[in-house]
Amino acid sequence: MSTPLTAPGRLVAGRYRLQSQIGGGGMGAVWLALDELLGRQVAVKQVLVSESDEALAEQQRQRALREGRIAARLSHPHAISVYDVAQEGEVPWLVMEYLPSRSLAEVVQADGVLRVDQVAQIGAQVADALAATHAAGIVHRDVKPANILIGQGERIEGLVKITDFGISHAHGDVTLTQTGQITGTPAFLAPEVAQGYEMGEASDVFSLGATLYTCLEGQPPFGMEDNALAMLHKVAGGSIRPPARAGSLSGPLTRMLAADPAERPSMAEVRDELARLAAGRSGDTTTVLLARTDLRPAGGRPSTEVFPAAAPEAAEPPPPPPPVHVDDRPRVVPAARPPARRRGVWVAAALAVVAVAALIGFWALGRDDPGGSDTQAEGSASPSAEAPASASPSASEEPQTEDDTTADPTDDAAPSAEPTEPTGQQPTEPVVAPATDPASAVRAFFALVPGNLDAAYQLTSPGFQQRFPLASFSGFWDDFSSVQISNIEPRGDDRALADITYVRPDGSSTTERHELRFEADANGRLLLDRDEQV
């Protein structure tokens, strides 16, 4: 390859003033430059060509010029635009849109794996750009996390764009034969490409699937090998590791990563399916394709706006917490007292009947009703069983009588009136009651998911809630109809191993071994802090 003689201040093609180097790789250095004609910042990449093989060098120059001109005609909100292909001497320079950003590879390396909703949204947007690329007759050939950029800055924060359309020869390219060259990064190649077949649109679909898989699983579907040829051998075999953390993306990823190119969906189909998943049941797919993605670990705001599936699902469980626990107490307490008040009235009436005539007894009963409040303290001090004598002395007490008749059968035996309150408390009790050993904490948490997500979320630590807002927490559990735990194995005072079986609405299930780590709050209650597959 020819050695680039470049330095800040150099004027390329009489128009682009180099300012600072912002990247580089097997293809050459990438510079931030000023377009002095239009007065805007651009990214300028020098395309390196072979020094030893003139025929190959000419082929590389013509290819860069041809494909650069094609890419320059592509305008898409999620694609880095190519503005110009400048020829200076024997070297072509690609002039592109400049986006202050981090690559998706840098995001995953620095922040860890992403949530399913984030990956679905990013995947839908990149697939939208690639679908437009394919429609323009361009095959990207090097879709990977390093070529997907996430904007940084006030006006571009979270803007997703894919770069290097059909022109990149990334560092680590492997020459398979003297006449055939594999362009792309081996870990993200499609099996047919590793076998020596021509790259096509289906190859881009596979590479995008491998990219999204990496964002969820932390490594490519074929793993990683330092030896590029060994990596190619793995890829050519076409046997991927099934995704374990993909949730609702498991199906789409499996189809995108099919070994047979004919079995993969088109890029437009990938876009539509991922957009539907990211939008949820009541969301707008158009919003997904245009939204900014907040990839901060504690963020998720744009993602939750376009991933509202969690809200409807989380809205179903709330009926147990609000109505029962709060309303039962007012009903039980007043219900226990008025019957006792009325009991005092009837006892007084009975004594009056014995002492006086029946007529005077009824008269005494009538007068004692308003005076019953005087004896309320005495009556309420008597917690003995009340027979179902809930007849109403006057129409004015009708609402109270209804409450009392509801409570009276329970009041028939004092013990059954008392348990009413704890029984009403039953669903909330696991949330409040301290679990001070990890095995109990595991059982308490998984007893609440996926049916009562609000209560389960209360059993997570502040650190957990910072990393996973309620919307993303709910969005994860939205993919499952039930969950089962078994083989709980405590490890010390703050962690446990357990087998977790996730059951999907279609009846399929996945069992994983997880290590769950807990953090004690001020009251000694263990709260879930981390959940990692082992």
Side-chain angles (χ1 to χ4, degrees), residues 382-443:
S382 144
S384 55
E386 175 66 5
S390 54
S392 168
S394 67
S396 64
E397 282 197 62
E398 197 62 31
Q400 220 173 0
T401 308
E402 279 188 46
D403 280 351
D404 293 338
T405 44
T406 307
D408 275 352
T410 316
D411 254 351
D412 217 29
S416 41
E418 299 291 337
T420 305
E421 200 168 343
T423 305
Q425 285 290 91
Q426 208 73 16
T428 316
E429 202 61 38
V431 181
V432 186
T436 54
D437 66 278
S440 299
V442 169
R443 293 188 187 94

Side-chain angles (χ1 to χ4, degrees), residues 440-482:
S440 299
V442 169
R443 293 188 187 94
F445 177 82
F446 284 98
L448 297 170
V449 293
N452 194 344
L453 297 179
D454 287 340
Y457 198 64
Q458 294 176 34
L459 292 183
T460 60
S461 72
F464 182 101
Q465 294 177 9
Q466 186 181 26
R467 293 189 300 273
F468 306 104
L470 179 58
S472 65
F473 176 79
S474 301
F476 172 82
W477 288 109
D478 182 44
D479 298 328
F480 306 106
S481 58
S482 64

Side-chain angles (χ1 to χ4, degrees), residues 6 11 41 50 53 90 123 127 134 194 208 229 244 260 363 411 425:
T6 54
L11 189 65
Q41 285 188 317
S50 174
D53 188 336
E90 297 296 318
H134 291 172
L208 177 59
L229 289 176
D260 184 352
W363 174 82
D411 254 351
Q425 285 290 91

